[in-house]
Amino acid sequence: MTDLPSLTFDDDPPRDDAELLRLEQCSAEPIRTIGRIQSHGVLFGIDETTGVVVVASENAEQWLGRDLREAGSEVLTWAIGHGAALDPVRGEFEGAVYDVIAHRGTSPLLLELEPAVPGMDYVRTGVVSAIQRLAGISDPGELRRTAAREIKDITGYDRVMCYQFHDDGHGQVVADEREPDMEPYFGLHFPASDIPAQARALYIEKRSRVIASTDDPGLALQTLLPEEAPVDLGVTELRAVSPHHLEFMRNMGQASTVSFGIVVDDRLVGMFTCAHRTPRRLPVLLRRALEVMATQVATQLAAAEQIRRLRRQLEARERRIALIAPIYGRTDAGAVLMGGERTVLDAVPADGALLRIGGELHTVGVVPAPDRLFAVVDELGPGRHVSEALPLERPELAVEIPGVTGLLVVPVGAEGDALVFVRSEVSRTVDWLGDQRPGNRDSPLSPRRSFSAWRESVTGRSLPWGEHAQDAFDLGDEIRAAIAARTQAELAELALRDALTGLHNRRFLYDRLDELVGSGKPVAVVFFDLDGFKLVNDSHGHEMGDAVLATIGRRLSGAARSSDVVVRLGGDEFVIVCVDAGPEEAAVIASRALAAITEPIVVRDAEVRVHGSAGIVAAERGIAPAELLDAADAAMYRAKRDGGGRVSA
């Protein structure tokens, strides 16, 4: 038997009006206060203050108004005072042997008597070894199938199924252990109304449910309580069955069932259902043991799902990090995301994607006309948008972008900036437990007559986005974070740069000198000043002067080594910090720089020549940056006094 494909909430088929009507009818059915019990047992409601029976099933109505302790059963008396539903006790009542189940916390105190099931007292011991065998299974599909097989072996029921419930409420048979002559149900879906919400809610507080016979008319409850105080039987074992559900079971060929909820974080995620073609009932202690098994399965399924989700999240995050990392540098975000070796389609599978950022459009894959697509996105409004059936949900928008069925819109920054993923239509089939069309029901509110597999073709929808939708939203958040971080870094860098030349500025120089001098490395500072630069501004204007200064900055950078730091202090003053260099090596660098400065500079057909003077000082350990620069400045002025165009130490 093969595993089912991984399913998410987006695989859920749409509900029609009849299904919504059935769900509405089911929600109004008083299944907790049905007023009847199954006829194989006895139920009492006891006023705990007086000990008087105030509610009794009609097969024990003679006890109404009497104290049940008068029955002379020590077990019954003990159960009334101390019994618990999780730990029933065995006792006699009116000549028959019963399992006695007391429900503490109910008002009145509900006491149930279930007849002992002959020959099954020790069957529950097999549950322990079954749980041990299941404990080592980590694959969810194998776990469900093996658990269903174990339950079938233990209980002897003709069929044991495991259901999985999806987020929209509909379910699927994910394990089906059956007798060879029975029709297979594995993999089939069923609508939410088959097991409506209020019935599922009961499994949160009571983990199993017995229906001993679909032909059982049940027994009415007789009561001394006021009519406006119906007895809540939600926690009881014997609660009678909805006529609608009995008809449903008979149509399925089931004469009896027992079901065990699979509950994770107070949510019913699935169920084991045992079905038999003749009336059958399990003793309560065996049901308690199987409840423990179902809880163990739920724990293992939750752990497996958590591991799967964490592993997937880690892999998805690694893909996003590899994609986004270059944005933190100075690489164009659009080129990184849409045109690199990796693109956004590696993070979120789709037919194509469009990115609008900073007024520019970028595309990858198969996409509609960008102007038409973003007209649709703008019509949807700001924020995130997810659709797998745009032609069905927004036909007036779908006509603007033919061929697009799935749409995923992710904001990525400033207003209007968005990353949009598109998918085309993909036809798929859903296999149902019974024909879902109206002809398979006597009325819209009736159960299906036949449960033979029926295949429905689903069109007008794309592949489900599923967990990829969250991947896309996480990607959008991380793109915004990367762009914001890069912007902050650029602003911080600008604060340390000279706007005209692009060289580092005085603020950066002081920080860098502090760091270098403190490290103990040999450092020499070369202080440059242009000789007679004022004449350039006076003769050619400040625009020419700025162009000359920018050129000087580039030439000084070319003369320095890659390890050196070139700084414009302001005006026509520059500094080269020579790292791992003494005065002699710094003098070589300074001479090379002065030679580069004297080369002609041509700006708009005008040729300008400038000269400079340089002063060199070697840094001493502990010297302050300001002192070091003052010393270098003094050395530079000595060079000027000696005639300029030279280096002085």
Side-chain angles (χ1 to χ4, degrees):
M1 185 179 293
T2 59
D3 285 333
L4 290 167
S6 175
L7 295 170
T8 68
F9 65 88
D10 296 293
D11 292 287
D12 300 336
R15 298 175 177 177
D16 59 19
D17 291 341
E19 171 67 0
L20 294 174
L21 182 62
R22 286 189 290 273
L23 287 168
E24 182 180 351
Q25 184 200 44
C26 291
S27 68
E29 194 173 10
I31 61 173
R32 299 185 69 106
T33 55
I34 196 168
R36 303 179 70 81
I37 66 167
Q38 297 178 64
S39 58
H40 61 272
V42 179
L43 183 139
F44 295 106
I46 300 169
D47 185 322
E48 290 189 83
T49 304
T50 63
V52 171
V53 174
V54 293
V55 176
S57 52
E58 61 181 283
N59 56 349
E61 60 183 333
Q62 68 273 18
W63 283 95
L64 277 174
R66 298 169 58 188
D67 191 328
L68 198 58
R69 288 170 291 194
E70 296 173 7
S73 169
E74 293 182 3
V75 171
L76 213 58
T77 300
W78 183 90
I80 293 171
H82 308 284
L86 288 175
D87 190 18
V89 292
R90 179 69 57 86
E92 288 192 14
F93 176 71
E94 295 186 340
V97 178
Y98 292 92
D99 289 319
V100 182
I101 307 154
H103 298 278
R104 310 236 77 83
T106 57
S107 181
L109 172 71
L110 297 179
L111 193 72
E112 296 184 276
L113 279 64
E114 277 196 28
V117 181
M120 297 197 73
D121 282 344
Y122 296 102
V123 173
R124 66 181 182 275
T125 58
V127 177
V128 175
S129 56
I131 290 175
Q132 292 172 340
R133 287 189 290 271
L134 294 173
I137 301 175
S138 58
D139 177 74
E142 181 185 356
L143 177 62
R144 292 182 177 107
R145 290 193 302 273
T146 305
R149 191 178 310 120
E150 294 278 7
I151 294 172
K152 186 177 186 304
D153 291 342
I154 292 167
T155 63
Y157 276 70
D158 291 331
R159 184 196 297 269
V160 176
M161 294 174 287
C162 182
Y163 301 151
Q164 177 185 358
F165 297 125
H166 297 270
D167 284 355
D168 77 329
H170 99 276
Q172 186 176 16
V173 181
V174 292
D176 181 23
E177 297 296 320
R178 67 191 190 283
E179 292 299 303
D181 61 333
M182 300 180 76
E183 185 176 4
Y185 292 156
F186 178 76
L188 302 184
H189 296 251
F190 55 86
S193 59
D194 282 4
I195 308 174
Q198 64 167 337
R200 299 184 197 197
L202 289 171
Y203 282 92
I204 305 299
E205 56 184 308
K206 184 182 181 307
R207 299 299 170 88
S208 66
R209 167 66 162 148
V210 173
I211 300 175
S213 173
T214 55
D215 292 327
D216 179 14
L219 300 171
L221 295 182
Q222 307 299 321
T223 179
L224 301 179
L225 299 173
E227 289 185 9
E228 64 272 14
V231 180
D232 187 341
L233 299 177
V235 297
T236 63
E237 307 290 334
L238 294 171
R239 177 173 54 88
V241 187
S242 155
H244 177 90
H245 188 64
L246 289 175
E247 182 183 0
F248 177 95
M249 289 178 59
R250 286 192 289 266
N251 288 356
M252 282 194 78
Q254 299 172 347
S256 56
T257 60
V258 58
S259 299
F260 303 92
I262 302 173
V263 179
V264 175
D265 295 332
D266 291 328
R267 186 169 62 94
L268 188 70
V269 299
M271 181 186 297
F272 289 106
T273 292
C274 311
H276 210 59
R277 289 173 285 191
T278 59
R280 188 172 180 82
R281 182 169 60 86
L282 300 180
V284 64
L285 287 177
L286 176 55
R287 300 200 302 271
R288 293 291 182 267
L290 291 170
E291 289 172 7
V292 173
M293 178 190 284
T295 299
Q296 172 68 24
V297 170
T299 300
Q300 290 178 233
L301 288 174
E305 173 60 16
Q306 185 176 30
I307 291 170
R308 182 203 68 81
R309 186 178 295 126
L310 289 173
R311 182 179 290 121
R312 187 197 173 282
Q313 288 173 351
L314 179 61
E315 292 172 351
R317 179 162 175 73
E318 288 175 346
R319 286 193 295 271
R320 294 196 304 271
I321 289 173
L323 175 62
I324 290 173
I327 297 178
Y328 285 91
R330 296 195 174 185
T331 310
D332 175 65
V336 168
L337 297 170
M338 312 296 277
E341 181 180 348
R342 297 184 182 89
T343 72
V344 293
L345 298 184
D346 292 297
V348 181
D351 295 325
L354 295 90
L355 174 67
R356 180 170 64 186
I357 189 166
E360 295 184 356
L361 291 174
H362 306 266
T363 66
V364 62
V366 180
V367 296
D371 57 339
R372 285 179 170 269
L373 178 66
F374 277 104
V376 169
V377 171
D378 293 339
E379 181 67 24
L380 289 171
R384 300 168 171 177
H385 299 281
V386 183
S387 176
E388 294 156 10
L390 191 67
L392 301 177
E393 297 167 356
R394 298 293 299 270
E396 77 283 6
L397 298 181
V399 297
E400 300 296 327
I401 43 175
V404 174
T405 305
L407 190 66
L408 181 56
V409 181
V410 184
V412 294
E415 185 175 351
D417 287 354
L419 175 61
V420 184
F421 296 92
V422 295
R423 285 178 175 175
S424 57
E425 179 186 33
V426 175
S427 298
R428 68 186 194 275
T429 60
V430 178
D431 293 325
W432 288 96
L433 183 61
D435 191 336
Q436 301 299 304
R437 292 173 296 187
N440 195 28
R441 299 177 187 268
D442 293 334
S443 74
L445 299 179
S446 300
R448 300 185 296 287
R449 290 192 298 268
S450 168
F451 290 85
S452 296
W454 176 72
R455 176 163 291 179
E456 179 185 28
S457 294
V458 179
T459 59
R461 305 177 73 87
S462 71
L463 285 175
W465 293 109
E467 293 173 307
H468 291 304
Q470 188 58 51
D471 291 342
F473 299 146
D474 291 341
L475 178 63
D477 292 341
E478 289 164 6
I479 291 171
R480 285 196 298 273
I483 293 174
R486 186 178 72 180
T487 301
Q488 290 298 318
E490 288 172 348
L491 290 173
E493 178 71 9
L494 286 174
L496 301 175
R497 291 274 180 185
D498 174 61
L500 176 62
T501 64
L503 299 176
H504 288 297
N505 60 17
R506 183 185 294 269
R507 179 180 171 186
F508 175 87
L509 175 62
Y510 275 56
D511 291 342
R512 185 67 174 138
L513 284 176
D514 257 337
E515 178 186 334
L516 289 170
V517 172
S519 71
K521 291 181 177 180
V523 174
V525 172
V526 183
F527 196 114
F528 293 92
D529 184 84
L530 301 183
D531 298 332
F533 178 73
K534 184 175 182 299
L535 291 175
V536 175
N537 283 333
D538 292 344
S539 303
H540 301 281
H542 286 281
E543 186 177 351
M544 172 68 81
D546 288 346
V548 169
L549 289 173
T551 302
I552 296 298
R554 289 193 294 272
R555 290 182 178 181
L556 290 176
S557 295
R561 303 168 305 169
S562 61
S563 59
D564 298 334
V565 180
V566 182
V567 174
R568 181 188 177 210
L569 287 181
D572 58 352
E573 294 180 335
F574 296 83
V575 167
I576 296 179
V577 180
C578 303
V579 183
D580 286 327
E584 296 79 7
E585 191 171 359
V588 173
I589 296 170
S591 297
R592 187 164 64 234
L594 288 179
I597 288 173
T598 59
E599 292 294 322
I601 299 173
V602 178
V603 179
R604 295 181 181 175
D605 299 328
E607 183 178 292
V608 177
R609 287 180 179 270
V610 295
H611 299 274
S613 299
I616 300 173
V617 173
E620 297 176 359
R621 191 172 183 86
I623 190 171
E627 294 179 66
L628 185 57
L629 288 177
D630 286 344
D633 185 37
M636 181 273 298
Y637 273 105
R638 286 196 293 273
K640 279 185 178 290
R641 284 195 299 270
D642 291 340
R646 66 191 66 202
V647 178
S648 176

